Amino acid sequence: MDVRETTLQELLGGPKQYLVPLYQRPYAWEVKQRHRLWADILELAESRRTNPSATHFMGSLVLSTGAIVPTGMEFLVVDGQQRLTTLSILLCALRDYLRAHQPDQPMLAESLHEQYVADRFKPGDARLKLLPTQADRDDFRAVVDGAVGADSTSGVGNAYSFFRRALEAADDPEDLHDIERIREAVLGGLSFVSITARDDDNVYRIFESLNNTGLRLTQGDLVRNYLFMRLGSRGESVYSSWWLPMQRRLSVNDLELIFWLDAVADAPLLKQGDIYSYQQARLSKMYDEQIVSEIERFGRLSEHLAVIRDPSMEPDAEVRGHLTHLAEWASATTVPLTLRLLSRRADGLSTTEEVARALAAIESYIVRRTLGGRTSQSLNRTILQACGELDERPADQVLLDYFSTGRKYFSTDEQIRDAVRTQPFYLRGLKSQQKLILKWIGQSINPKEEVDVEKATIEHILPQTLTPEWSDVLGAEIEPQETIELVHEQVVHSVGNLTLTGYNSELSNRPFPSKQEDFRRSSFTALNRLVLDAPTWGREQILARSDWFADHIIAQWMGPNERITAADSGRDWSLAHQAIMAIPAGRWTSYGDLAALIGTHPVPLGVHLGSVEIPGAHRVLQGTGTISPGFRWIDPTDDSDPRDVLEAEGLSFSLNGVADEAARLTTAQLAALLNLTGDEGSDVDPVADGTFFGQLASSNPPATVGAVDKLFRAWKEMGGSVEYGSARESSAFMVAPRRADANISHWPFAIYPISGSVEVVFQHLKTRPPFDDVALRNEFRNRLNAVPGVDLSADRIDKRPSFPIETLTSAASLTMVVDTLRWFVDAVRRGQWALA
């Protein structure tokens, strides 16, 4: 076998071709893998600005030498075809982006194509640097040949569309060299270890070993092997003195984790899969004595990590208390920073008291941020970047000032008081962390009260489902312009209405006196003091208990340094916008439901919605299910009746104008739609919503969502309809109005929200008169090609070519597309054909 390190530039350059054997599975990478690769490439391109030799390790490629043919050397790809195929598609997207955006420098794109994608001097498939399995070849050829219409429902087409959109987003008009840095990072910065076998037996055994037997080496194994390879004969004594105790002290996973935790403090964006390449690059610059010192340092870090994992080992009570809380919080996010603090103390750079206050600042930040209704998005990066802020100044003050600076959502005392009254705490974040906050508040009142959050559940005192008895309680205190349902949504999920119990299912929605008796027997007495003394339980009591909670929260968890806290620019309406854009056609929500989700009142929400254009805002109705008398379209020239628009979307109304209650989305359903209770740090799955507009909003900027909404509204004004697919990616089919004397349907476009493509379905139209006439399909193609951003190849007139969905964000392009669709509808209406 031949084993060597190589780059994509070396692999694909020269007269070589890589054949994917027929027994390999078809191309299978999805959004998650592409997102990660792209993030790694962007990070690498940025790193190479200051360190041109920086690389990113892509793993091993297992190859087998094939035939030597007149056109060059052939290799079989035994392992690594998914990576090679994805990167080849990326090179095609990069080539086409350069062709479109740098036409004055054609050699940039053409050299990319001819050196690394296809050789124009070779015939047929021999020209392709990579030849995928037969299942993917048609789509791959289409991408290579610049026919963007590679079926966008295929994996290859989806990948191409993804990278085209990603390049558009990454191109900063103020930076003339950013795309060039990406190109160089892809070709010269992505490194592989290529393992080339010279006979079939070796190929089989390697493939079997990789896919069927044994355990792969972990990143920790690779770091260990490198360290002791460097030490030679000294390795045995160092192993016995430092490595073996560390190995016994930590689990296998933590032994690997220690190298990442050490690195991520200085490189916050480092992925765990890149531990070895990062540490190897760092350690390669050291002498043998420095390597020994590094192993000793890792050993000391392992001692600190053991304390973080088991805080009972910490001798100082205050530090131990905060470490216990952070361990219970169960987020790996805080571990690198905590590890750095304990290391500072061990090195004499920080006192125990200083570390205790620094840990208190971390705990306060994550608790106050959670209570303020903020999701975990960006929390990981914020805390990891705090590691780099530590210097010779006192660590506790550094961290408090850092968390207080900018928009890091460190809630002030005033914001906490507002949040516990208005925010639907129960609908935000992880249930385990919500229970911890309630537990910690109870323990601050009664430290001896033991709470097992694993067995406890969160109980709504005012139940989530109203009974006649509970409706009477709320009805006794509502204002003239309020409804019982509105008040219920405003307070039911707030902190003041929540407690812990061991028998939630037994309590359910029983009357308050019955619940009180159970609370008296409960072990969670500290949390229930106000509940036990209350004569009844309505909004007044809930708000009073919310204020009681706020007092304890403010006393227990320090607030930001308000002298340097950046002034808030006003209420953040982004969550409301996301929720509105996620409401599917045919459904509605109320101003009260939406206001309760974001912790405000329906009146300011209504004022805000009347001042900004948000796709889907017409789906927000009054609590009674009626359209607000004050509703106006943002476009002053739009005189559409909102009820007509809603009915065209599939929402039914009663004779007196009340929307179907079964189609209403409650506050809890909106929260579920937006996955507000998702796992911290998890990758957002844009298909989790399941609705077309939910996926569209998750995968595209608001301008794109707004453009598609305008397109659909214009289409419906022409008499067309929109139907939605049921696959994992919820496609939208624009169905033309049907002629009264015909029972066949026509649709010009199929739109894919995650792939970001608008398919022109010539393949469908060629069997439906009058578009069975190729001349008419070509006229349709030519009209679309006149739109800036659309380029449909003539050889795809019987296929499903596509153009990027972001083309619609240009007002001029959108107008031309709409005009073309009017022509299309007229052609359907005028067409003459035998009735089916």
Side-chain angles (χ1 to χ4, degrees):
M1 290 183 294
D2 174 47
V3 181
R4 65 190 185 90
E5 188 173 356
T6 187
T7 64
L8 195 65
Q9 193 167 20
E10 292 179 277
L11 281 166
L12 298 178
K16 290 173 285 192
Q17 184 179 47
Y18 296 87
L19 308 174
V20 179
L22 298 181
Y23 58 77
Q24 294 274 31
R25 63 177 177 169
Y27 181 67
W29 268 29
E30 296 184 350
V31 173
K32 183 176 180 179
Q33 290 97 336
R34 294 194 293 266
H35 267 297
R36 174 163 182 177
L37 172 63
W38 184 245
D40 290 339
I41 290 171
L42 291 181
E43 182 185 343
L44 176 62
E46 185 65 23
S47 298
R48 286 166 68 93
R49 296 180 71 164
T50 54
N51 180 13
S53 62
T55 61
H56 174 77
F57 183 55
M58 291 290 293
S60 62
L61 295 175
V62 180
L63 310 170
S64 171
T65 53
I68 300 176
V69 296
T71 54
M73 173 69 81
E74 290 181 350
F75 295 89
L76 291 179
V77 184
V78 179
D79 188 63
Q81 63 114 343
Q82 300 288 335
R83 283 165 287 156
L84 271 184
T85 304
T86 303
L87 290 170
S88 295
I89 295 168
L90 169 57
L91 291 177
C92 292
L94 185 56
R95 172 204 64 197
D96 294 345
Y97 186 84
L98 290 170
R99 284 173 176 171
H101 293 270
Q102 297 187 29
D104 56 329
Q105 301 182 59
M107 288 306 297
L108 286 176
E110 299 318 310
S111 63
L112 197 64
H113 177 81
E114 294 184 12
Q115 292 182 57
Y116 310 113
V117 176
D119 188 336
R120 65 191 177 98
F121 296 108
K122 294 179 181 179
D125 284 344
R127 66 197 169 93
L128 302 177
K129 296 287 185 175
L130 174 72
L131 188 62
T133 61
Q134 285 185 334
D136 295 316
R137 285 180 187 174
D138 286 344
D139 298 312
F140 187 75
R141 288 190 199 99
V143 166
V144 169
D145 294 337
V148 184
D151 188 350
S152 67
T153 60
S154 73
V156 172
N158 284 342
Y160 176 84
S161 298
F162 170 84
F163 287 122
R164 276 303 302 265
R165 288 183 284 120
L167 286 163
E168 293 280 355
D171 193 357
D172 180 358
E174 301 297 322
D175 187 343
L176 300 180
H177 305 291
D178 49 1
I179 299 299
E180 178 61 22
R181 283 195 298 274
I182 290 172
R183 177 184 182 277
E184 293 301 321
V186 171
L187 290 174
L190 299 180
S191 67
F192 301 82
V193 170
S194 69
I195 304 170
T196 307
R198 298 190 179 91
D199 62 70
D200 292 340
D201 182 54
N202 273 345
V203 172
Y204 173 76
R205 284 187 290 155
I206 293 170
F207 188 78
E208 182 182 58
S209 177
L210 285 171
N211 293 282
N212 296 315
T213 63
L215 293 172
R216 294 175 185 254
L217 290 176
T218 68
Q219 295 282 302
D221 292 330
L222 294 171
V223 174
R224 178 199 62 213
N225 293 352
Y226 180 80
L227 286 168
F228 286 97
M229 178 192 70
R230 289 285 305 275
L231 289 180
S233 60
R234 296 188 58 189
E236 185 171 347
S237 62
V238 175
Y239 184 89
S240 300
S241 301
W242 288 99
W243 193 273
L244 190 57
M246 178 167 65
Q247 190 167 283
R248 289 171 174 167
R249 188 178 295 124
L250 300 179
S251 67
V252 173
N253 288 338
D254 274 353
L255 190 60
E256 175 175 302
L257 187 64
I258 197 76
F259 299 112
W260 178 74
L261 294 172
D262 172 62
V264 81
D266 296 314
L269 300 179
L270 185 73
K271 308 294 189 301
Q272 283 190 248
D274 300 331
I275 295 170
Y276 172 67
S277 58
Y278 175 89
Q279 293 286 9
Q280 189 270 342
R282 187 178 67 84
L283 295 167
S284 65
K285 303 171 185 175
M286 297 183 181
Y287 299 109
D288 289 355
E289 287 301 323
Q290 292 173 306
I291 294 290
V292 173
S293 296
E294 279 297 288
I295 294 175
E296 293 174 356
R297 187 175 67 83
F298 284 134
R300 288 190 292 271
L301 285 176
S302 74
E303 295 173 357
H304 302 323
L305 182 59
V307 174
I308 292 171
R309 293 289 188 246
D310 182 7
S312 66
M313 299 168 61
E314 167 59 41
D316 182 80
E318 192 171 355
V319 172
R320 183 169 62 249
H322 292 302
L323 288 176
T324 300
H325 279 189
L326 293 176
E328 290 178 326
W329 194 258
S331 170
T333 300
T334 62
V335 176
L337 182 54
T338 306
L339 194 67
R340 183 62 63 95
L341 290 171
L342 295 183
S343 297
R344 285 174 61 92
R345 181 179 64 172
D347 294 340
L349 300 176
S350 295
T351 65
T352 293
E353 293 74 20
E354 185 182 311
V355 169
R357 291 192 297 270
L359 292 172
I362 299 171
E363 181 184 329
S364 296
Y365 172 62
I366 60 178
V367 169
R368 283 186 174 233
R369 178 182 166 121
T370 300
L371 286 162
R374 294 293 168 182
T375 65
S376 62
Q377 185 178 4
S378 79
L379 178 61
N380 290 11
R381 179 171 295 186
T382 296
I383 292 183
L384 288 177
Q385 288 178 339
C387 296
E389 298 293 318
L390 297 173
D391 50 28
E392 70 281 355
R393 296 171 295 162
D396 55 334
Q397 194 58 55
V398 169
L399 292 183
L400 185 64
D401 290 352
Y402 167 74
F403 291 135
S404 304
T405 304
R407 294 181 65 86
K408 297 188 179 74
Y409 306 114
F410 193 175
S411 297
T412 63
D413 292 353
E414 181 182 356
Q415 289 168 337
I416 286 293
R417 293 191 183 281
D418 177 69
V420 296
R421 275 178 157 252
T422 62
Q423 294 288 343
F425 178 69
Y426 183 76
L427 301 180
R428 304 282 187 87
L430 298 176
K431 290 292 173 284
S432 60
Q433 293 173 353
Q434 294 168 359
K435 288 190 286 186
L436 278 174
I437 292 174
L438 293 174
K439 167 190 170 179
W440 293 341
I441 293 171
Q443 288 181 332
S444 72
I445 301 168
N446 180 8
K448 296 182 179 180
E449 185 170 276
E450 292 296 327
V451 178
D452 186 346
V453 294
E454 291 295 325
K455 296 180 180 179
T457 58
I458 298 177
E459 164 71 3
H460 290 73
I461 305 169
L462 169 68
Q464 298 185 71
T465 303
L466 285 175
T467 63
E469 294 92 336
W470 282 104
S471 294
D472 290 342
V473 172
L474 288 183
E477 56 183 11
I478 65 173
E479 301 295 333
Q481 300 301 317
E482 294 178 326
T483 65
I484 293 173
E485 291 76 16
L486 174 63
V487 174
H488 181 255
E489 284 294 336
Q490 288 175 339
V491 299
V492 68
H493 298 302
S494 65
V495 177
N497 188 50
L498 303 176
T499 190
L500 294 174
T501 180
Y503 36 86
N504 177 276
S505 60
E506 297 175 21
L507 292 177
S508 187
N509 58 355
R510 286 186 292 159
F512 181 59
S514 177
K515 283 192 170 187
Q516 266 183 319
E517 289 305 312
D518 286 312
F519 288 143
R520 292 186 199 283
R521 296 191 300 270
S522 169
S523 60
F524 306 103
T525 54
L527 287 177
N528 296 328
R529 289 182 181 179
L530 297 186
V531 182
L532 298 178
D533 296 334
T536 186
W537 196 256
R539 176 167 57 181
E540 179 182 342
Q541 290 75 28
I542 293 172
L543 293 179
R545 188 162 176 261
S546 294
D547 293 339
W548 175 84
F549 267 120
D551 290 338
H552 285 283
I553 292 163
I554 290 168
Q556 185 169 355
W557 290 291
M558 70 177 76
N561 184 343
E562 296 194 40
R563 290 185 296 102
I564 62 173
T565 299
D568 198 335
S569 59
R571 175 173 286 279
D572 183 358
W573 295 100
S574 59
L575 183 61
H577 296 181
Q578 294 172 35
I580 291 170
M581 289 190 289
I583 300 172
R587 304 296 295 274
W588 66 281
T589 194
S590 72
Y591 290 98
D593 294 319
L594 186 58
L597 179 73
I598 64 172
T600 188
H601 191 273
V603 173
L605 174 65
V607 171
H608 174 72
L609 298 187
S611 63
V612 295
E613 185 170 6
I614 307 167
H618 60 288
R619 297 172 188 151
V620 183
L621 309 179
Q622 296 184 110
T624 56
T626 56
I627 296 168
S628 171
F631 177 83
R632 299 289 184 275
W633 301 104
I634 295 298
D635 182 356
T637 64
D638 192 340
D639 58 358
S640 305
D641 185 331
R643 176 171 171 176
D644 291 342
V645 174
L646 290 166
E647 287 181 327
E649 293 178 347
L651 181 62
S652 60
F653 286 81
S654 65
L655 293 177
N656 59 351
V658 176
D660 180 9
E661 182 66 23
R664 178 177 183 170
L665 293 173
T666 65
T667 301
Q669 289 170 323
L670 289 172
L673 199 63
L674 295 177
N675 196 29
L676 294 183
T677 57
D679 287 342
E680 179 178 344
S682 65
D683 294 320
V684 176
D685 182 356
V687 303
D689 181 336
T691 67
F692 174 84
F693 269 100
Q695 293 178 3
L696 189 69
S698 298
S699 306
N700 299 275
T704 302
V705 181
V708 173
D709 183 66
K710 290 177 182 177
L711 177 70
F712 285 176
R713 288 174 59 188
W715 180 244
K716 290 169 184 177
E717 288 175 0
M718 300 176 208
S721 61
V722 180
E723 298 178 3
Y724 299 96
S726 58
R728 183 167 168 79
E729 182 174 7
S730 181
S731 53
F733 298 88
M734 298 175 61
V735 182
R738 185 176 295 176
R739 267 180 36 165
D741 59 348
N743 60 0
I744 62 173
S745 59
H746 300 72
W747 59 90
F749 294 161
I751 301 181
Y752 294 86
I754 300 173
S755 309
S757 61
V758 180
E759 275 192 353
V760 185
V761 286
F762 293 131
Q763 189 176 51
H764 151 78
L765 293 173
K766 71 177 183 179
T767 63
R768 284 162 166 76
F771 290 99
D772 54 345
D773 182 352
V774 68
L776 196 61
R777 293 202 304 282
N778 263 318
E779 183 175 354
F780 184 29
R781 183 182 69 85
N782 290 334
R783 286 174 179 267
L784 287 172
N785 277 346
V787 178
V790 179
D791 183 13
L792 307 176
S793 173
D795 62 2
R796 305 288 292 174
I797 196 63
D798 293 334
K799 305 295 183 183
R800 300 168 66 99
S802 62
F803 60 87
I805 198 170
E806 58 262 30
T807 301
L808 303 173
T809 58
S810 162
S813 295
L814 179 61
T815 299
M816 294 176 70
V817 169
V818 170
D819 289 343
T820 300
L821 290 176
R822 288 197 181 94
W823 170 87
F824 181 92
V825 170
D826 288 343
V828 171
R829 287 172 174 160
R830 292 193 312 268
Q832 300 294 321
W833 61 83
L835 299 183

